[in-house]
Amino acid sequence: MKNSILILASFLVLNLSSSLNAQTFGFGCLGLSGFYGGYGLHTYEPVGLNKSLDLIFVNNQSEVNSPIKFEKASGFRFGANILRAEFNHVFLTAKGFFQFSKEQHSFEDPNHVGVFIKNEYELTSNHWGIGLDFGLPVFSFLHLKLIEGGITFYNIELKEKIISDDDILTENKYENDGPEIGYYIGTGLIINLIEGYISIEGTAMYHFYKIDSVENSDAINFVHPSINKPFIDKGGFAAAVQLNLGFPL
């Protein structure tokens, strides 16, 4: 995976350098300088997390797996289109972004008669990244992103709460040890509403990353020692829709 990240980083640097020598370049939301905001979601396979929840449910309640399963997070995305070069009817855009992502599940514990006990789990998988896209203007109002790729840095936090009648009895927080590096590839469309000023952009991607473990303040790993799996085994498909606001010069 590290070799793939190095290759992708080299690709970003080489293409960005060549774009600066192009015949024309500008700044703004369609390759011109600008900012954007939107909404995104991504899927992932948290094998260690889900298997640990199954074990907790079996030990506390019955011989069946946990009724909850983590698999998809969503949240708002913010970023900037930093630089664009246009040459020979193609465009190249450098960008940076931050994605807020969260997934939450809970289940009630039926073993406490007359008392409402709920186990609540909230997984926050925020990440930031830098990327580069390459595409073609199909029409004046429609641009096709042939390929987009970038490097991502994931920060993971799992909150575990046991709640009784809206009162928190216990709370634990687990985090990964520093940002985990990953990468993504994708494609998409840019619909130009007001050329150079406002556009809507949609992107479909696949994220590659893995989180081996998350620990609390006492250095206790959430994944049970008997489960020989990483907390998040791998990433998955993702999608984002955003509104670009440009400030051309």
Side-chain angles (χ1 to χ4, degrees), residues 6-245:
L6 291 175
I7 292 172
L8 180 57
S10 300
F11 172 80
L12 293 177
V13 172
L14 289 174
N15 278 279
L16 185 56
S17 298
S18 64
S19 71
L20 293 175
N21 296 318
Q23 293 177 352
T24 60
F25 73 91
F27 300 87
C29 65
L30 292 177
L32 311 170
S33 101
F35 301 93
Y36 59 81
Y39 196 81
L41 61 88
H42 70 273
T43 63
Y44 51 98
E45 296 185 19
V47 179
L49 168 59
N50 285 331
K51 285 185 175 294
S52 295
L53 290 174
D54 287 344
L55 190 60
I56 291 172
F57 195 77
V58 168
N59 290 340
N60 290 346
Q61 301 187 52
S62 66
E63 294 300 321
V64 297
N65 289 340
S66 165
I68 65 178
K69 181 180 179 181
F70 282 84
E71 57 187 356
K72 180 175 64 178
S74 60
F76 293 101
R77 161 185 291 241
F78 301 95
N81 290 318
I82 303 166
L83 174 68
R84 178 190 186 188
E86 292 189 38
F87 54 98
N88 296 330
H89 306 292
V90 299
F91 66 85
L92 189 67
T93 309
K95 61 187 65 180
F97 63 89
F98 191 91
Q99 170 82 46
F100 298 90
S101 299
K102 182 183 295 185
E103 183 176 9
Q104 186 178 63
H105 293 285
S106 64
F107 61 81
E108 297 180 18
D109 188 343
N111 289 334
H112 298 271
V113 179
V115 180
F116 175 77
I117 300 293
K118 182 174 70 171
N119 292 53
E120 183 177 283
Y121 299 90
E122 179 183 282
L123 179 62
T124 302
S125 53
N126 296 335
H127 64 278
W128 64 275
I130 54 175
L132 190 75
D133 66 44
F134 172 81
L136 301 170
V138 180
F139 303 107
S140 61
F141 63 90
L142 178 64
H143 288 193
L144 173 63
K145 294 196 298 181
L146 297 178
I147 186 169
E148 179 176 332
I151 301 173
T152 53
F153 302 85
Y154 278 84
N155 292 295
I156 305 298
E157 180 183 276
L158 176 68
K159 291 182 180 179
E160 176 188 38
K161 298 178 183 179
I162 298 179
I163 301 172
S164 174
D165 296 325
D166 296 327
D167 294 324
I168 299 176
L169 301 180
T170 63
E171 181 175 3
N172 262 312
K173 183 171 70 174
Y174 301 82
E175 298 176 300
N176 61 321
D177 185 19
E180 294 288 342
I181 300 176
Y183 63 99
Y184 73 94
I185 57 173
T187 185
L189 295 172
I190 302 173
I191 300 174
N192 192 16
L193 301 180
I194 301 177
E195 188 172 1
Y197 291 93
I198 302 176
S199 66
I200 297 175
E201 182 173 340
T203 309
M205 300 159 282
Y206 194 95
H207 281 246
F208 299 85
Y209 73 100
K210 182 172 75 171
I211 307 296
D212 288 319
S213 63
V214 293
E215 297 182 346
N216 63 13
S217 58
D218 297 322
I220 297 175
N221 190 348
F222 182 81
V223 178
H224 194 272
S226 65
I227 300 172
N228 189 27
K229 292 290 184 180
F231 182 78
I232 296 179
D233 190 45
K234 59 182 178 179
F237 287 100
V241 177
Q242 65 197 49
L243 178 67
N244 298 318
L245 301 176

